[in-house]
Amino acid sequence: MAFDLSKCNFSRCKGECLVRCPYVSYDEDEAKRAVRALIAGEPHPILKDCITCAACNDFCPRGANPWDLIAERQEETGVLGIPADAKPSSDWLTKPATVIRRGKPGGPLISAGGIYEVVPQAEFLTGQVFSDATIIGGGPYACGFTETHLGRASRPVKFLPQFIENLARTAKEFGVDEIVFTHDACYNVATTLAMQQGVRVPFRPVHILEYIRNWLRDHPDRIVNPLDIRIAVQGGCTTRYAPKGGDREIWSDWLADIFAMIGVTSVEEKRVYTGVDRLCCGCGIFHTQHERAVDIQRKNVQDAADAGAEQLLFICPACISVMRATCRKMKLEPIYITQLVKCALGEELGPAGTAAFGYPVK
Ligand code: SF4
Ligand code: SF4
């Protein structure tokens, strides 16, 4: 999570970072001009045009992390600002620590981070998989990665030691040595970022997908309703920071295991916008450039439908909150990971349904 100037070598790349950006149309010369300007601290339209998806970190063949340079300049220049409509994001960081639901002694400790009300975690984290879990949320447990979409990319780095300390204290209080994260932003901050910054993490961070995969593996007899369904997956921006297993982001293996156990067929290999070329949910510009965000969502949803998907699966609460309305309009059912698993376990979805329609989006 830092631009590495020593790796950015214009004679050994084709400007892939911005040539491959799906949201601008730059040729190699313009791409390199833009990166040069950013390195020199000069203004460039990319600062405003960038929708903060982090994909260019994956596109750069040299591993220079150009998105982190863009984010740094966006913060310095205030070019994105924090619009009034986006204020709830900042509010999440100031909410008091809360026990959303108290589980059983010895049960898992799950952190829903700061955005636990974006999708109603108290309703989604229910059923057999979560029956023993204690769920916590609030500002002290918010990694702050959402701020990267709002021109304050330094926030997760600055808050990192406090974030880890808050979680470690709570883990001790509940007598556990691992914490499950519902948002992969928190997971990636507690793993990748903590490692990069040399911050010791005295508990084991567990991704929600790893937790679900392990639970299903330990309870194969509970899968009473194999789904036999074709599904596309919305991979979030924060998943790009996940620890990698070989050339794959680690979460994709957990998800593949879950799909195999509950009878889901992924259509991702038939999609245009998949893997590192996956499209962003548009949350970074949802309030400031709403029509542009919805256009991106339509392209994304259409691509999933064209690949034969019957549902679009979401892991990230932010992604589903901003995309579910477009999914509904385009008749591709959005479904949150916990609800998908409940279907396979033959459980009722409750009032939240597959995607908590009825909760305000915009
Ligand atoms: S960030 Fe990577 S792709 Fe972009 S100009 Fe530098 S080396 Fe080339
Ligand atoms: S972060 Fe995404 S939108 Fe911004 S320049 Fe990189 S690829 Fe393009």
Side-chain angles (χ1 to χ4, degrees):
M1 282 181 170
F3 176 63
D4 190 338
L5 182 59
S6 70
K7 290 185 178 165
C8 181
N9 185 332
F10 297 103
S11 62
R12 298 185 66 183
C13 79
K14 294 187 168 64
E16 289 92 333
C17 56
L18 299 185
V19 170
R20 286 182 64 184
C21 169
Y23 315 106
V24 295
S25 306
Y26 286 6
D27 61 14
E28 181 178 340
D29 288 346
E30 183 54 37
K32 289 181 177 176
R33 249 197 313 277
V35 177
R36 278 199 180 89
L38 298 181
I39 291 171
E42 294 161 3
H44 192 279
I46 190 63
L47 292 180
K48 186 77 183 159
D49 291 341
C50 167
I51 74 163
T52 69
C53 79
C56 43
N57 279 359
D58 283 339
F59 298 151
C60 170
R62 309 259 319 146
N65 292 340
W67 148 240
D68 294 272
L69 173 64
I70 293 170
E72 199 181 315
R73 297 288 182 252
Q74 284 174 331
E75 181 159 9
E76 282 166 9
T77 56
V79 66
L80 297 179
I82 297 187
D85 272 2
K87 191 167 176 301
S89 167
S90 302
D91 290 347
W92 296 328
L93 305 177
T94 57
K95 279 188 185 162
T98 310
V99 176
I100 299 167
R101 196 178 67 223
R102 201 169 282 276
K104 295 185 185 147
L109 180 63
I110 300 185
S111 172
I115 58 173
Y116 60 90
E117 286 164 329
V118 173
V119 293
Q121 299 288 345
E123 289 178 39
F124 276 4
L125 300 175
T126 54
Q128 300 171 67
V129 179
F130 301 102
S131 58
D132 294 349
T134 292
I135 307 166
I136 55 172
Y141 309 127
C143 68
F145 202 91
T146 47
E147 297 291 287
T148 63
H149 299 308
L150 299 166
R152 296 207 310 221
S154 65
R155 204 273 180 185
V157 180
K158 284 184 190 151
F159 188 59
L160 177 64
Q162 188 65 58
F163 171 64
I164 299 297
E165 195 185 314
N166 294 342
L167 288 164
R169 197 182 322 112
T170 306
K172 203 167 165 193
E173 195 185 312
F174 282 93
V176 297
D177 55 11
E178 57 181 40
I179 297 178
V180 182
F181 293 101
T182 58
H183 191 196
D184 52 23
C186 292
Y187 175 79
N188 296 329
V189 167
T191 53
T192 308
L193 184 63
M195 213 178 326
Q196 283 172 357
Q197 299 289 320
V199 172
R200 196 179 80 82
V201 179
F203 55 87
R204 188 172 101 80
V206 179
H207 194 286
I208 184 81
L209 291 178
E210 183 188 4
Y211 173 77
I212 292 172
R213 190 276 307 262
N214 291 351
W215 192 94
L216 291 172
R217 203 176 49 189
D218 293 345
H219 303 83
D221 54 312
R222 310 284 182 89
I223 304 168
V224 294
N225 184 34
L227 297 174
D228 189 21
I229 193 167
R230 294 184 307 279
I231 277 189
V233 180
Q234 173 63 21
C237 57
T238 57
T239 56
R240 295 182 190 272
Y241 285 91
K244 304 259 192 310
D247 62 349
R248 290 155 62 88
E249 292 155 1
I250 193 168
W251 62 274
S252 62
D253 290 337
W254 296 321
L255 190 58
D257 289 347
I258 292 170
F259 279 4
M261 285 187 276
I262 65 175
V264 166
T265 302
S266 167
V267 302
E268 283 302 303
E269 64 183 26
K270 296 186 183 148
R271 294 190 64 184
V272 175
Y273 305 116
T274 188
V276 293
D277 293 311
R278 60 183 179 262
L279 290 179
C280 175
C281 69
C283 72
I285 57 167
F286 196 70
H287 293 277
T288 51
Q289 304 173 53
H290 186 68
E291 281 313 310
R292 189 176 172 217
V294 172
D295 280 349
I296 294 164
Q297 293 179 354
R298 285 196 200 104
K299 202 154 96 170
N300 198 357
V301 173
Q302 190 61 53
D303 181 58
D306 290 347
E310 296 164 83
Q311 292 180 327
L312 182 53
L313 175 70
F314 292 86
I315 320 296
C316 169
C319 290
I320 197 168
S321 72
V322 296
M323 280 188 69
R324 58 195 171 194
T326 301
C327 286
R328 180 168 54 173
K329 278 184 199 138
M330 295 180 71
K331 303 196 185 319
L332 181 63
E333 187 181 22
I335 185 159
Y336 192 60
I337 180 67
T338 58
Q339 309 305 86
L340 179 75
V341 172
K342 272 187 217 161
C343 292
L345 300 178
E347 295 179 331
E348 294 292 323
L349 295 185
T354 59
F357 285 128
Y359 288 80
V361 179
K362 180 182 164 71

